[in-house]
Amino acid sequence: MAGPRSTRWAVVGGGIVGAAIAYGLARAGEKPLLLDEGDVAHRAARGNFGNVWVQGKGAGLTPYADLSRRAANDWAEFTREIEAVTDTDLHFRRPGAFYLCFSAEDLEKRGEMMARLDAAATIKSRFEVVEAAELKRRLPAIGPEVAGAIFSPDDGTANPLRLLRALISGTVALGGTYLPRQPAEKVAFSASGVTIDTPRGKIEAERVVLAAGLGNARLAPLLGLDAPVRPVRGQILVTEKVRPFLAYGTNFIRQTLEGGCMFGESSEDAGFDEGTTLPVLRETARRAVTAFPLLRHVQVVRAWGALRIMSPDGAPIYQQTDDGRAFVVSVHSGVTLAPFHAGPLVEALRGDGFATPAYRPFSPERFHVQAA
């Protein structure tokens, strides 16, 4: 019987987060193994708008705002590089985006929050409060019930499924190995590093990165790490292709390059149920039509639910074991942070790890602070 497969780096989780890390490791000259549960996994990419989004990110944790802004600013170069490696068009655009508000009160509160956030952040992000009349001029199709919007030119969009495919194919092209249908059933420390049990045998890795999304909640404690993440369901509607009318992103509606419209903003605690419910879909459609009345008679061609990975405060979790053999990465904003995960985070993994001050705000210890 063949012995365990050995590697220096194993990345557990073949979604956008894990694939970005594996791609970065391969680009740095490593030969990572990327373990993927396969299409039966709860892929967050299925419920992802593909927003490269900075608006409002980090309102409760300023380092998260800086992290998001840094990554968004790196997206153009990241796109050029990965498209050259894989010949895959990521559909990345950065025209800016509007956060639509349906009341004057919401518009005022949103503007005040953005001002506070930008004052606290180290990396600045431009934004402006756009009143209804000016919004109508910029978005002629906007409905009369929209009170205004916050516009940031720093927001963009990409195609999350194309991104996932490019990251995996790029990993392989640069010398990594992709192992589909090989979920990590168990992980444990060994004399040489970490042993990973899969349905197709054991893998011995000197170092392992747990980037298994919701699976991190089960796997991380096996290595003394902490990933208190939970599933949050979002329901998405997609329409038939219509004439171009929305050249910008918004917080809950976007028109793809192919012409179809995606909309959805629901957040539900539904456990691991990826289904759809008529009340949520009806409300989602109502708000979309209120924002853009021209959608009233457009046909919906698909609808689905998908699970997002959410920490208690919505910000990333980065943690390592004291000996640097195991790392956990749990992130909600996998698309926005992809350039960071493939670049600076990989540099940290290969260097001093997460034991530096830059990563301290993202330790799960922040959830266990005792009040005096």
Side-chain angles (χ1 to χ4, degrees), residues 8 48 54 56 78 93 125 168 184 233 248 254 265 270 281 315 324 334 340 346:
R8 173 169 160 78
N48 195 310
V54 300
F78 174 71
R93 302 292 186 274
S125 176
I168 293 174
R233 185 173 68 186
Y248 302 92
R254 64 168 292 212
E265 58 178 341
L281 294 180
F340 173 75
V346 163

Side-chain angles (χ1 to χ4, degrees), residues 5-13 18 22 25 30-36 171 175-179 182 196 202-205 207-209:
R5 187 169 188 168
S6 298
T7 184
R8 173 169 160 78
W9 284 98
V11 180
V12 177
L25 286 167
E30 306 285 356
K31 307 292 183 183
L33 297 184
L34 177 60
L35 282 71
D36 186 6
T171 297
T177 300
Y178 174 58
L179 301 176
Q182 290 205 43
I196 305 167
K202 293 182 181 292
I203 293 173
E204 285 285 349
R207 296 184 176 186
V208 64
V209 182

Side-chain angles (χ1 to χ4, degrees), residues 306-340:
L307 303 182
R308 308 182 188 101
I309 297 93
M310 198 65 66
S311 68
D313 61 2
I317 296 172
Y318 301 126
Q319 188 189 27
Q320 70 170 63
T321 56
D322 291 339
D323 58 13
R325 283 189 288 174
F327 304 83
V328 64
V329 177
S330 293
V331 175
H332 166 57
S333 300
V335 173
T336 300
L337 296 179
F340 173 75

Side-chain angles (χ1 to χ4, degrees), residues 216-217 220-221 223-229 317 319 328 330 363-365 367-368:
N216 278 353
L223 297 176
L225 298 168
D226 190 16
V229 292
I317 296 172
Q319 188 189 27
V328 64
S330 293
S363 167
E365 292 177 3
F367 305 126
H368 307 295

Side-chain angles (χ1 to χ4, degrees), residues 230-235 267-277 306-307:
R230 61 185 176 89
V232 173
R233 185 173 68 186
Q235 298 185 39
S267 294
E268 307 166 79
D269 289 319
F272 287 87
D273 182 357
E274 293 182 320
T276 59
T277 60
L307 303 182

Side-chain angles (χ1 to χ4, degrees), residues 33-80:
L33 297 184
L34 177 60
L35 282 71
D36 186 6
E37 184 178 3
D39 286 339
V40 297
H42 298 289
R43 292 219 189 276
R46 295 193 189 110
N48 195 310
F49 261 30
N51 283 336
V52 179
W53 193 268
V54 300
Q55 276 202 61
K57 289 278 184 72
L61 188 68
T62 304
Y64 182 31
D66 289 327
L67 187 62
S68 300
R69 295 171 183 199
R70 174 185 181 181
N73 290 340
D74 288 341
W75 245 94
E77 179 58 33
F78 174 71
T79 299
R80 285 190 289 269

